[in-house]
């Protein structure tokens, strides 16, 4: 076994690491004498690293190999396996097997307790080792403190995720089947089970954005993926009061807020930037900026591009601020330290974001670039495999939406009459629903998408400069 004192040279362990050899022995007894009932549970819960006693570890290793390879278990099969394994035979003898199985009645009476006990002691040992490594990392001054802190948080967070024992891991379907059936039966007809996106057709296809899902919004440059994601975020926060975390990795927070105000207060973006506001614009700006101060939207600085930092910020936001949905714009500029291959890096980032959605049990909506069309004069309609730099993104995602505005390319190629506002929303993947495309219209002036066949009365109509100023304030 490794010397645990060598993990942290600045601190000496003045007592042995926690363990329970008797519980380890009882678990081995369960496997040898009760494999038919306990074999699968032991295989799901314990590994060799969970055992501290060399003899018990060797016996568990050989016995579990016999159980997994043969599907049945007997003393004779175990003895034959030991005879063919000289290394294990150095530790284990026939008398040892007899002595271990003598404890089976005690082990059988409280088997799950002994499994949990061995697992708990293993996690305690791992916690001590990880915390020692964190102490060493805190002394390291050659890297930015924020990076080291993010890595420490990632280690502790990973340890926390591994503390899940049998109740939330290995379980029979009966534990959830009745509860799930009752929930379905009592659901209000037509009521969404997820968070509303603000787009009727999308909510119809998905029943809302579901907790724990990894959602990808793909588009070529200047097709509106940032605006689309921001529209969903502001609908959730402003119209529904849902706490939102929006992490834009390339756009300053001030620019994001300008877009939100343009959308919600119905003020043209150019007017916000050049300051040429009408009296009603000023009134709406003041009203909606005041409302925005009370809206549960949280943002990060564009510098937050490290995947470990993103994880740390997300965990903090969910735990401290009750965030129910996370947006990341966009995937390809997230850094994955110590990985040089670009495709591997993007794949790892995609897997981490999927894992983050599962761990925090909130929708994680991520923007993604598409591969540039080879012929811009005749660009093809994008599909799932066009997600840039990695096929893993499409594999990891639960829902993939691709924004496609062919009129943008038509105008770039000289067609001045082309409609560059109509947007096809291609549902390229929907793990839990149908694949059905729909259309939206992009309003450049207000950085927002609206349904082509849906009313837009939730927003004030554009006001001409020569019209009299209305006396009512537009509702948020």
């Amino acid at each position: 076994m490794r010397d645990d004192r060598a993990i942290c040279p600045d601190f000496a362990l003045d007592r042995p690491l926690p363990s329970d050899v008797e519980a380890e022995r009882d678990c081995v007894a369960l496997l040898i004498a009760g494999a038919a009932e306990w074999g699968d549970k032991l295989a799901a819960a314990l590994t060799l690293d969970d055992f501290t006693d060399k003899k018990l570890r060797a016996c568990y290793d050989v016995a579990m190999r016999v159980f997994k390879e043969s599907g049945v278990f007997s003393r004779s099969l175990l003895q034959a396996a030991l005879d063919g394994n000289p290394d294990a035979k150095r530790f284990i003898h026939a008398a040892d097997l007899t002595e271990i199985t003598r404890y089976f009645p005690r082990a059988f009476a409280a088997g799950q307790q002994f499994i949990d006990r061995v697992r708990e002691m293993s996690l305690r040992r791992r916690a001590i080792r990880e915390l020692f490594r964190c102490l060493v990392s805190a002394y390291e001054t050659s890297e930015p403190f924020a990076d080291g802190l993010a890595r420490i948080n990632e280690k502790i967070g990973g340890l926390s995720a591994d503390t899940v024992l049998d109740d939330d891991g290995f379980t029979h379907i009966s534990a959830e089947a009745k509860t799930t059936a009752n929930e379905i039966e009592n659901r209000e007809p037509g009521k969404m089970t997820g968070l509303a996106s603000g787009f009727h057709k999308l909510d119809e296809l998905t029943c809302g954005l579901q907790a724990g899902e990894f959602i990808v919004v793909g588009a070529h440059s200047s097709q509106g993926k940032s605006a689309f994601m921001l529209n969903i975020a502001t609908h959730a926060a402003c119209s529904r009061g849902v706490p939102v975390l929006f992490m834009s990795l390339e756009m300053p927070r001030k620019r994001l807020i300008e877009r939100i105000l343009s959308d919600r207060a119905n003020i043209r973006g150019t007017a916000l930037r050049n300051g040429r506001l009408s009296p009603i614009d000023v009134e709406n700006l003041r009203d909606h900026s005041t409302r925005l101060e009370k809206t549960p939207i949280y943002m990060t600085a564009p510098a937050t591009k490290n995947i470990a930092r993103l994880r740390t910020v997300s965990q903090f936001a969910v735990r401290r601020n009750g965030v129910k949905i996370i947006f990341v714009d966009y995937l390809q500029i997230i850094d994955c330290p110590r990985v040089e291959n670009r495709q591997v890096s993007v794949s790892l980032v995609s897997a981490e974001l999927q894992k983050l959605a599962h761990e925090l049990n909130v929708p994680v909506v991520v923007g993604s670039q598409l591969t540039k069309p080879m012929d811009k004069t005749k660009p093809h309609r994008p599909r799932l495999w066009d997600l840039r730099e990695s096929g893993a993104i499409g594999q990891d995602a639960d829902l993939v939406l691709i924004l496609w505005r062919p009129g943008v390319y038509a105008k770039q190629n000289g067609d001045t009459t082309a409609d560059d506002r109509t947007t096809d929303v291609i549902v390229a993947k929907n793990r839990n629903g149908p694949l059905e495309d729909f259309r939206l219209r992009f309003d450049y002036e207000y950085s927002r998408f609206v349904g082509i066949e849906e009313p837009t009365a939730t927003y004030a109509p554009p006001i001409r400069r020569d019209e009299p100023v209305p006396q009512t304030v537009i509702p948020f």
Side-chain angles (χ1 to χ4, degrees), residues 200-215:
H200 174 74
K201 189 61 180 180
L202 178 58
D203 291 336
E204 185 181 277
L205 294 172
T206 62
C207 289
L209 306 181
Q210 303 296 318
E213 287 198 347
F214 175 38
I215 301 165

Side-chain angles (χ1 to χ4, degrees), residues 346-358:
V346 171
S347 298
L348 290 174
V349 168
S350 174
E352 283 296 314
L353 292 171
Q354 180 197 40
K355 181 180 176 182
L356 185 66
H358 291 168

Side-chain angles (χ1 to χ4, degrees), residues 401-423:
L401 306 173
I402 297 178
L403 307 183
W404 172 237
R405 289 161 57 199
V408 172
Y409 293 102
K411 274 201 169 182
Q412 290 175 353
N413 293 322
D415 185 356
T416 57
T417 62
D419 177 9
D420 61 347
R421 295 174 181 259
T422 298
T423 306

Side-chain angles (χ1 to χ4, degrees), residues 302-315:
T304 312
K305 295 181 180 179
N306 183 289
I307 184 61
R309 290 193 192 182
L310 290 177
R311 171 180 285 276
T312 300
V313 171
S314 300
Q315 291 171 337

Side-chain angles (χ1 to χ4, degrees), residues 195-206 208-209 215-220 222-237 244 246 248 250-251 256 259-260 263-264 325-330 364-368 399-405 421-429 436-444 446-452 454 459:
L195 297 177
S197 68
F199 300 110
H200 174 74
K201 189 61 180 180
L202 178 58
D203 291 336
E204 185 181 277
L205 294 172
T206 62
L209 306 181
I215 301 165
V216 174
V217 178
H220 291 127
S222 302
Q223 295 273 316
K225 64 178 178 296
S226 299
F228 182 78
M229 293 168 61
L230 196 59
N231 288 169
I232 297 176
T234 53
H235 176 80
V244 166
F246 198 98
S248 176
E250 62 173 356
M251 192 180 299
L256 290 173
R259 286 193 172 196
I260 294 173
D263 173 22
R264 305 304 297 189
I325 184 168
I326 296 170
F327 295 84
V328 182
D329 185 27
Y330 58 93
V364 175
V365 185
V366 182
S368 175
L399 175 67
V400 178
L401 306 173
I402 297 178
L403 307 183
W404 172 237
R405 289 161 57 199
R421 295 174 181 259
T422 298
T423 306
D424 289 351
V425 181
I426 303 168
V427 183
K429 180 179 181 181
E436 184 179 338
D437 303 346
F438 59 97
R439 284 187 171 179
L440 299 174
R441 184 171 181 81
F442 184 59
D443 286 346
Y444 285 97
Y446 308 101
S447 297
R448 68 179 177 227
F449 286 89
V450 294
I452 290 179
E454 298 173 15
Y459 300 99

Side-chain angles (χ1 to χ4, degrees), residues 60-99:
Y60 183 82
D61 181 28
V62 176
M64 186 55 73
R65 287 174 186 269
V66 171
F67 174 73
K68 288 182 177 180
E69 291 174 2
S70 63
V72 295
F73 191 90
S74 67
R75 182 72 174 269
S76 59
L77 287 173
L78 176 59
Q79 190 60 57
L82 287 172
D83 293 339
N85 190 331
D87 292 334
K89 201 171 182 180
R90 287 191 298 116
F91 297 107
I92 309 168
H93 306 285
D96 296 321
L97 298 179
T98 301
E99 175 67 15

Side-chain angles (χ1 to χ4, degrees), residues 272-395:
L272 283 175
R273 288 188 291 275
N274 62 30
R276 295 177 179 175
L277 302 175
S278 70
I280 187 59
D281 287 341
V282 173
E283 185 179 355
N284 283 341
L285 177 63
R286 290 172 180 173
D287 179 63
H288 287 276
S289 61
T290 301
R291 293 168 185 254
L292 203 58
E293 291 175 7
K294 303 175 184 178
T295 301
I297 298 179
Y298 302 91
M299 296 179 175
T300 61
T304 312
K305 295 181 180 179
N306 183 289
I307 184 61
R309 290 193 192 182
L310 290 177
R311 171 180 285 276
T312 300
V313 171
S314 300
Q315 291 171 337
F316 178 85
V318 170
R319 183 175 63 251
R320 182 69 62 86
N321 302 108
V323 161
K324 300 299 183 185
I325 184 168
I326 296 170
F327 295 84
V328 182
D329 185 27
Y330 58 93
L331 190 149
Q332 279 78 12
I333 53 179
I334 300 176
D335 296 329
C336 189
R338 298 180 294 277
V339 178
E340 296 182 0
N341 184 287
R342 183 60 187 161
Q343 187 170 352
V344 173
S345 176
V346 171
S347 298
L348 290 174
V349 168
S350 174
E352 283 296 314
L353 292 171
Q354 180 197 40
K355 181 180 176 182
L356 185 66
H358 291 168
E359 289 180 0
L360 300 181
N361 196 34
V362 300
V364 175
V365 185
V366 182
S368 175
Q369 288 185 332
L370 301 182
T371 303
K372 292 182 180 179
M374 298 184 65
D375 184 0
K376 288 190 176 182
T377 62
K378 296 180 180 179
H380 69 276
R381 185 179 177 85
R383 286 294 181 230
L384 187 63
W385 53 80
D386 288 312
L387 292 171
R388 186 171 175 180
E389 293 179 307
S390 177
I393 302 172
Q395 294 175 10

